[in-house]
Amino acid sequence: MDKQQFYKFVNKLILPLFTGSFLDGEEESSVRDSEVAYGKKNSLLIKPTKADEYRLILKRGQPFQTFEVNLLRSIIAEINKIAVIPLEDDSYLSVLQENAIEKSICQSICEQETANCMFSILNEIQKWAARTYEGRKIAIGIIINIGQDVSAQEDALSYNEIMNNDFFALLSDGVSSYIEFDKKGYLLGYVQMEKLKKLPTICPYEYENVARYCNERRIGIVLTTTGDILIFKNRNLLFANRLGRWNIYSHEEVIQLLSNRGNYSIKDIRRSIYFTALDSSYSYNGGCIVYLSKDEVENALSHINAHDIIDERYFEMKKAQVLEIAGRLYNIQNLSSMEAMYNVPYLTFLQEQKCIKAQCLRKIINGKPFHELSRKLRLELVSMDGAVVIDSEGTIIAVGAILKIEAGSEGGGRLAAATTLSKYGTAIKISQDGIIKAFNSDRKLNKVKSIFTVG
């Protein structure tokens, strides 16, 4: 594979796999260098073969983990096998390269025999993703049980005898019901996800049960009605194919970046923020979550409308800001108007100003911090237009806040809100196509920087 072909392959398939990654040039290399190696901060050095005299520099916000490096090595080994096949049509090459990604994903989580079976099952799943049944999109759930082998049984049925039949579309829903196969792809039976032990998982809220079921001996594959294909193992969401591209999840590293190696309570809050961002990503509603630094709340309040504030303590801080600004304007009439509006008890302000949303949310949240709310409620709060703003202790300051954006802000409303408030803490923007981006401020350079991107 020549350099131009390798660049094309990396841009088309590798960068989407490691969401948020980008090429940061290249450097000289020798035969002593391996095809994949760690570079400087948050970077990998990659080349097609050991003989190549260059390496591309692949970077992203979060560090690359060992399992990601091993996956990339497997992918490069697979594309080198393809490179020796004489092909005149580039379209065939593109399909083979995409298959190389899928084969390597399968090989990264199970032994070769099961990986081959899993690869074929994924191909069948993708056929279902491209079609409908009686005019509707299909959701399918499959479990591969690595610890079982029923292939020797006289009545053994293989996945390839079952999955291409129309009736198969009605046997599972990919949330509460699944069809289970053994490690060679022979039918074991039906699994209903009920009364599973509450074990820790990292996955979208809707798929907690299948994630719990998929321990180190089981692999879960889900086709959603939106066309996403999700892969679960070790009680985590590991891979997803979204919008036709595979991407990989390194949850713990991202959570660690959010926690900033803080104490337990801070980690607990930021863990809940990441989980909610993940839930929002798979709801396709979009959202914005802002987690403020302890000493920056007052500055952030200047961007938040008092009518959106649902905590009395922060309303009092906002009131002081408003009245101070009104007093500085040397406009007696305006100051009198502001004093008449704000110099009342907080609950009276909400009633007189008809802050129905704030009154409703106060009752629903009932004084609980963000991380103590249910995941379902947190998702619904984040799905509202505007931003959810949280202080350093998890207190919810505002929900659905339409923020005052600084002049010159670029991008859509949620991106502008996230980058504006990232000066005062960590801001996460979840786009409607499911991409999660987190920002904070680089104080030395006085600019916003990206912490991570997850897709």
Side-chain angles (χ1 to χ4, degrees):
M1 179 180 292
D2 63 32
K3 184 186 286 191
Q4 184 178 0
Q5 291 172 324
F6 190 58
Y7 262 100
K8 184 177 179 181
F9 170 74
V10 170
N11 278 293
K12 184 179 179 183
L13 295 174
I14 298 299
L15 298 187
L17 179 65
F18 300 97
T19 314
S21 61
F22 60 94
L23 288 177
D24 191 33
E26 62 180 70
E27 65 175 39
E28 292 183 358
S29 181
S30 71
V31 293
R32 295 190 300 274
D33 298 322
S34 62
E35 291 91 339
V36 182
Y38 284 105
K40 295 178 181 178
K41 185 179 179 182
N42 298 358
S43 71
L44 290 179
L45 306 172
I46 59 174
K47 61 180 182 176
T49 68
K50 287 182 72 69
D52 285 292
E53 297 179 345
Y54 71 96
R55 294 192 293 188
L56 305 187
I57 303 170
L58 185 67
K59 295 189 75 172
R60 71 176 182 190
Q62 63 268 34
F64 290 92
Q65 300 303 292
T66 302
F67 81 95
E68 295 176 301
V69 173
N70 291 336
L71 173 63
L72 194 47
R73 285 180 179 141
S74 176
I75 291 169
I76 289 178
E78 287 293 328
I79 65 165
N80 280 328
K81 294 176 186 177
I82 296 168
V84 299
I85 302 172
L87 293 170
E88 296 181 2
D89 190 337
D90 283 348
S91 62
Y92 288 116
L93 177 63
S94 179
V95 171
L96 289 174
Q97 288 177 339
E98 289 176 6
N99 285 342
I101 299 287
E102 287 187 11
K103 284 184 69 176
S104 298
I105 286 173
C106 297
Q107 290 165 0
S108 73
I109 59 175
C110 52
E111 295 179 354
Q112 189 63 54
E113 186 177 39
T114 304
N116 292 338
C117 162
M118 180 181 171
F119 177 66
S120 298
I121 287 175
L122 282 173
N123 284 334
E124 293 297 329
I125 287 282
Q126 286 171 337
K127 292 176 186 176
W128 276 107
R131 59 175 291 194
T132 60
Y133 181 81
E134 294 185 349
R136 61 185 176 88
K137 286 290 187 178
I138 299 302
I140 292 173
I142 289 174
I143 304 293
I144 300 175
N145 193 321
I146 301 171
Q148 294 285 321
D149 182 355
V150 299
S151 59
Q153 294 180 4
E154 189 175 339
D155 61 347
L157 272 174
S158 174
Y159 70 90
N160 54 23
E161 298 175 89
I162 303 169
M163 288 187 66
N164 60 357
N165 291 284
D166 281 355
F167 72 83
F168 184 77
L170 304 175
L171 293 178
S172 64
D173 65 11
V175 176
S176 60
S177 58
Y178 291 78
I179 300 300
E180 188 167 18
F181 296 102
D182 75 357
K183 68 178 186 178
K184 294 180 180 177
Y186 287 89
L187 182 64
L188 288 175
Y190 176 84
V191 178
Q192 188 164 346
M193 300 296 171
E194 288 183 336
K195 297 179 181 177
L196 294 172
K197 187 178 178 181
K198 291 278 186 179
L199 296 167
T201 64
I202 306 180
C203 65
Y205 164 78
E206 192 174 9
Y207 301 101
E208 280 189 306
N209 282 335
V210 67
R212 289 192 183 104
Y213 189 74
C214 292
N215 55 20
E216 67 280 354
R217 305 299 295 167
R218 299 188 187 100
I219 299 166
I221 304 173
V222 173
L223 170 66
T224 73
T225 53
T226 58
D228 295 337
I229 301 174
L230 316 183
I231 298 177
F232 301 86
K233 194 186 177 189
N234 300 326
R235 301 191 177 92
N236 289 338
L237 171 65
L238 297 183
F239 300 95
N241 188 306
R242 308 180 78 181
L243 302 176
R245 291 286 181 266
W246 285 101
N247 54 72
I248 188 170
Y249 287 87
S250 51
H251 305 288
E252 289 294 354
E253 185 57 35
V254 171
I255 292 168
Q256 185 67 13
L257 287 171
L258 277 173
S259 72
N260 199 25
R261 292 169 173 79
N263 60 37
Y264 177 79
S265 64
I266 292 177
K267 279 187 177 182
D268 198 37
I269 296 165
R270 297 199 177 188
R271 196 174 186 87
S272 72
I273 290 170
Y274 175 73
F275 279 29
T276 303
L278 197 60
D279 295 341
S280 179
S281 170
Y282 279 88
S283 75
Y284 287 101
N285 290 323
C288 180
I289 310 171
V290 182
Y291 181 47
L292 299 175
S293 300
K294 187 175 183 178
D295 57 349
E296 293 287 356
V297 175
E298 193 167 353
N299 292 327
L301 284 174
S302 65
H303 297 273
I304 302 172
N305 193 305
H307 297 76
D308 290 324
I309 295 175
I310 62 173
D311 183 86
E312 184 171 0
R313 177 166 52 115
Y314 291 116
F315 170 78
E316 293 298 329
M317 290 175 64
K318 179 67 178 181
K319 176 169 73 173
Q321 280 186 358
V322 171
L323 295 179
E324 181 187 354
I325 292 170
R328 275 196 259 128
L329 295 176
Y330 300 105
N331 185 323
I332 300 301
Q333 186 176 358
N334 179 62
L335 177 59
S336 298
S337 174
M338 290 296 103
E339 287 177 336
M341 181 187 295
Y342 283 93
N343 277 335
V344 293
Y346 172 53
L347 295 181
T348 303
F349 175 87
L350 294 182
Q351 292 169 353
E352 289 182 351
Q353 298 303 312
K354 296 188 169 78
C355 302
I356 303 300
K357 182 178 73 173
Q359 292 181 73
C360 175
L361 291 171
R362 277 175 57 82
K363 285 189 175 292
I364 289 171
I365 293 167
N366 197 27
K368 290 183 179 180
F370 186 77
H371 55 290
E372 291 183 10
L373 299 177
S374 71
R375 284 184 68 169
K376 182 65 174 171
L377 177 53
R378 294 200 308 252
L379 170 61
E380 286 161 346
L381 296 178
V382 169
S383 297
M384 296 174 64
D385 286 342
V388 173
V389 185
I390 306 162
D391 77 3
S392 62
E393 297 177 347
T395 302
I396 302 172
I397 298 173
V399 174
I402 306 303
L403 304 175
K404 180 182 177 183
I405 305 302
E406 293 180 344
S409 296
E410 297 180 354
R414 282 177 171 142
L415 178 59
T419 53
T420 294
L421 287 199
S422 66
K423 291 183 177 182
Y424 313 117
T426 300
I428 300 177
K429 179 247 183 184
I430 308 102
S431 62
Q432 288 188 320
D433 62 3
I435 302 297
I436 304 168
K437 293 185 178 181
F439 307 91
N440 64 16
S441 179
D442 186 329
R443 296 190 177 185
K444 289 182 179 178
L445 299 177
N446 193 30
K447 69 176 185 178
V448 172
K449 68 176 182 179
S450 173
I451 307 173
F452 63 77
T453 305
V454 177

